Amino acid sequence: MEQRGAVRMTRSRAVALWLVIAGLFCAAPACAEVVVGVAVPRSGAVAGIGEQVLQGVQAAVKDANGRGGLAGEPIVLDIEDDACEPGQAVEVAERFVRTGVRLVVGHVCSSASLAASDVYAANGVVMISPASNAARLTDRGLSTIFRVSGREDDQGRLSATILAERFRDKKIAILYDDTPLSRSLADSTKANLNKIGQNEALFAAIVPGQTDDAALIKRLQASGIEVVYYGGHYQEMGKLVRTAAEQGYRPQWFGTSGIATKEFGTLAGPASNGVLMTFNPDLRRKPEAAAAVKALQADGIDPGGFVLYGYAAMQALVEAGNFAKSTDPKAIAATLHAERFNLVLGNVGFDQKGDVTAPGYVLYVWRDGAFTYAN
């Protein structure tokens, strides 16, 4: 894992970066600026997803600064690595509070968002997550906490419906890892599947990095499992899918938004073909995202996965600040709750919990190292 100091972008470096992007030269105190904190995993198991989010945020800032910034002030990013770890996420949140950052895009992992959100809520900081789907994140009624991604309970309902409709006569295993989100997704999928009237053949936990993949695969195979649902992230599932294929075992694999990154296809190799996955709608297909997609592609960035969700989170802060004509977090939070905005997500708002009103999840299938809508 990288040392935090190696990945932290200091305020002065962030300012310099903005000056290069915007092509403007303005010495303090001649002009003001609004600092937005960005908290993503840049090291650890899901660094690939963190990079996608960061690319989207940076693209949104580039566009916003070209249009006058946030409430007339240029946006500067303070980028922090939370490594998808709750303890480190709290350290990041406390540093933001200490240095006066009052607007934050992040965090990515639900465990990190849950831990950090308590710090933000207690200090009046607006946090908008591009990827965390734990229901408890917004169910606690924290007025400054938002997200542009869907909720785990919605994802669990869809997963259960698909399992019941497509694999009613198959033996299904539901696996999860030792993270709260993975267990919650597995629990939600199991509960909804059982409610429909179908029972799984196996419900089991694995410990990433410690579970013997070959032994697990033999257990699944010996149990006659035909469909394997896994509620964890891409690293572990990619290895499982590849190892199973190498052993001649090819069940129908079914993942979640945790594998919505090209690294899954790389890890699983050709065995990724046919893997099903629930994930947020593909924003590249939305006409409202066309300009952002074009700009990202012009900069050599693939706008798939979580990229446009990072863009949407930053865009929502900008639109709310511009509507309120303020950089004050209290005004921005109130505006996010009260108004609707034209984002890459479409014309959306946020309910009183802080959940976005955009549609939740759809079914995808992996083909040739990429994923697309399933039939």
Side-chain angles (χ1 to χ4, degrees):
M1 182 181 297
E2 296 178 76
Q3 296 298 313
R4 293 183 68 217
V7 297
R8 176 179 293 170
M9 178 174 285
T10 65
R11 182 181 174 89
S12 60
R13 287 178 58 203
V15 172
L17 175 60
W18 179 82
L19 290 174
V20 171
I21 293 174
L24 299 173
F25 296 87
C26 179
C31 65
E33 65 196 25
V34 56
V35 180
V36 176
V38 182
V40 294
R42 305 196 73 189
S43 57
V46 294
I49 293 177
E51 180 61 22
Q52 289 182 349
V53 169
L54 180 57
Q55 288 175 332
V57 171
Q58 290 171 326
V61 169
K62 181 178 179 181
D63 178 68
N65 279 340
R67 297 170 183 267
L70 194 162
E73 297 183 11
I75 303 163
V76 171
L77 297 180
D78 185 347
I79 303 165
E80 290 284 348
D81 175 22
D82 69 10
C84 194
E85 295 180 357
Q88 193 157 318
V90 168
E91 291 180 12
V92 168
E94 290 175 341
R95 177 187 174 275
F96 283 152
V97 170
R98 197 166 56 247
T99 58
V101 174
R102 293 294 180 264
L103 303 173
V104 174
V105 173
H107 297 233
V108 168
C109 296
S110 287
S111 57
S113 286
L114 284 164
S117 60
D118 288 331
V119 178
Y120 297 135
N123 290 278
V125 176
V126 172
M127 170 194 133
I128 182 162
S129 173
S132 296
N133 53 20
R136 195 159 64 90
L137 180 62
T138 51
D139 281 353
R140 293 169 297 163
L142 303 177
S143 64
T144 63
I145 306 304
F146 302 84
R147 65 170 138 220
V148 295
S149 59
R151 293 168 53 100
E152 67 187 2
D153 40 7
D154 291 336
Q155 190 167 188
R157 277 190 290 271
L158 176 60
S159 297
T161 299
I162 293 165
L163 288 170
E165 290 179 351
R166 298 190 177 212
F167 309 109
R168 178 165 293 278
D169 299 322
K170 305 291 185 181
K171 295 186 73 173
I172 298 170
I174 298 177
L175 305 179
Y176 59 93
D177 63 28
D178 57 353
T179 63
L181 176 62
S182 181
R183 178 59 191 260
S184 294
L185 281 170
D187 283 344
S188 177
T189 299
K190 171 181 166 59
N192 282 285
L193 184 65
N194 297 164
K195 190 183 298 183
I196 292 170
Q198 185 169 352
N199 294 319
E200 72 285 352
L202 177 66
F203 186 77
I206 64 175
V207 181
Q210 297 182 31
T211 298
D212 184 334
D213 290 350
L216 173 62
I217 288 163
K218 287 181 179 178
R219 179 186 177 189
L220 295 171
Q221 196 167 17
S223 299
I225 299 298
E226 300 165 278
V227 182
V228 182
Y229 172 92
Y230 179 56
H233 287 293
Y234 65 88
Q235 284 195 328
E236 190 64 26
M237 188 168 181
K239 291 189 300 176
L240 283 171
V241 171
R242 186 190 69 241
T243 304
E246 290 170 351
Q247 294 187 13
Y249 176 51
R250 294 181 177 273
Q252 174 61 63
W253 291 94
F254 192 163
T256 71
S257 52
I259 68 168
T261 176
K262 63 183 179 182
E263 282 82 0
F264 170 74
T266 300
L267 286 168
S272 66
N273 286 333
V275 171
L276 296 175
M277 173 188 79
T278 49
F279 184 47
N280 301 308
D282 186 354
L283 300 184
R284 293 173 297 183
R285 296 173 176 241
K286 297 190 74 67
E288 296 91 342
V293 168
K294 184 177 180 180
L296 284 158
Q297 291 174 333
D299 286 338
I301 297 171
D302 177 1
F306 286 92
V307 173
L308 287 169
Y309 285 88
Y311 193 106
M314 185 69 237
Q315 191 181 29
L317 286 178
V318 172
E319 292 300 311
N322 288 344
F323 185 95
K325 296 181 173 57
S326 174
T327 63
D328 177 68
K330 185 176 181 179
I332 288 176
T335 303
L336 285 169
H337 281 298
E339 304 298 334
R340 295 184 68 86
F341 310 94
N342 292 316
L343 309 180
V344 292
L345 298 164
N347 182 261
V348 300
F350 295 86
D351 64 21
Q352 288 308 301
K353 289 183 176 182
D355 289 322
V356 72
T357 60
Y361 292 92
V362 294
L363 182 65
Y364 291 81
V365 63
W366 280 83
R367 298 288 183 200
D368 301 323
F371 54 88
T372 188
Y373 284 166
N375 295 325

